[in-house]
Amino acid sequence: MSDIRIGQGYDVHKLAEGEALILCGIKIDYHKGTIAHSDGDVAIHALCDAILGALALGDIGQHFPDTSDKFKNIDSTILLTEVMKMINTHGYILGNADITLALEEPKMRPYIMAMRARLAPLLGTDISRISIKATTTEHLGFTGRGEGIAAYASVLLLERL
Ligand code: MG
């Protein structure tokens, strides 16, 4: 039997008026956006951490420190591409990915297909292996108050035969 590895990731970014909101590499039309050293794409950050977790290679902050000017305002899809190279060099391929976004608004439904289509080529897999879901937190907590967005990601890596 070939080796399989599972990983999970979690990320949070604060929301502020007038900032850009980018989730899963897609620009979202909203009056608030994430404050971050990078482009603040919490979903891709959680996904990178899930992959790094599956490979037991630490976390995104270790590989792409937010103290480095090199990563200032960086497009997070570039970070994901770097993490995908690590999957490859370690002899794995991505089996599937499942992402959950927790935010009160705006509604994610109109963006889900575009997000999956954006991530599929970056993850080197078919759109049918990428799931993106969103939930509100019923006005509870920092996500419920619109102070921030949280993202959870799980991935399965398969040994490349
Ligand atoms: Mg982050």
Side-chain angles (χ1 to χ4, degrees), residues 11-13 38 40-42 45 60:
D11 193 34
V12 168
H13 279 283
S38 66
D41 192 329
V42 280
H45 296 176
I60 193 172

Side-chain angles (χ1 to χ4, degrees), residues 23-94:
L23 296 169
C24 298
I26 299 294
K27 173 96 177 65
I28 309 295
D29 185 23
Y30 191 48
H31 62 95
K32 287 198 267 188
T34 47
I35 303 175
H37 185 70
S38 66
D39 66 2
D41 192 329
V42 280
I44 288 186
H45 296 176
L47 186 56
C48 287
D49 260 356
I51 294 166
L52 291 169
L55 294 170
L57 288 177
D59 61 50
I60 193 172
Q62 244 171 277
H63 292 273
F64 314 108
D66 64 7
T67 48
S68 166
D69 274 352
K70 198 175 150 196
F71 304 117
K72 189 150 175 53
N73 298 322
I74 196 167
D75 177 343
S76 293
T77 61
I78 294 168
L79 307 182
L80 181 57
T81 300
E82 288 305 307
V83 170
M84 286 306 293
K85 286 180 195 162
M86 296 178 206
I87 292 185
N88 190 44
T89 54
H90 284 77
Y92 291 88
I93 57 166
L94 186 122

Side-chain angles (χ1 to χ4, degrees), residues 18 73 93 113 122 125 138:
N73 298 322
I93 57 166
M113 271 311 293
L122 295 169
T125 192
E138 301 283 345

Side-chain angles (χ1 to χ4, degrees), residues 136-157:
T136 70
T137 53
E138 301 283 345
H139 299 286
L140 297 169
F142 70 89
T143 49
R145 290 188 296 268
E147 295 166 3
I149 296 181
Y152 303 80
S154 301
V155 298
L156 192 71
L157 304 187

Side-chain angles (χ1 to χ4, degrees), residues 2-14:
S2 63
D3 193 22
I4 59 170
R5 306 193 71 144
I6 192 165
Q8 59 99 20
Y10 174 66
D11 193 34
V12 168
H13 279 283
K14 206 186 268 188

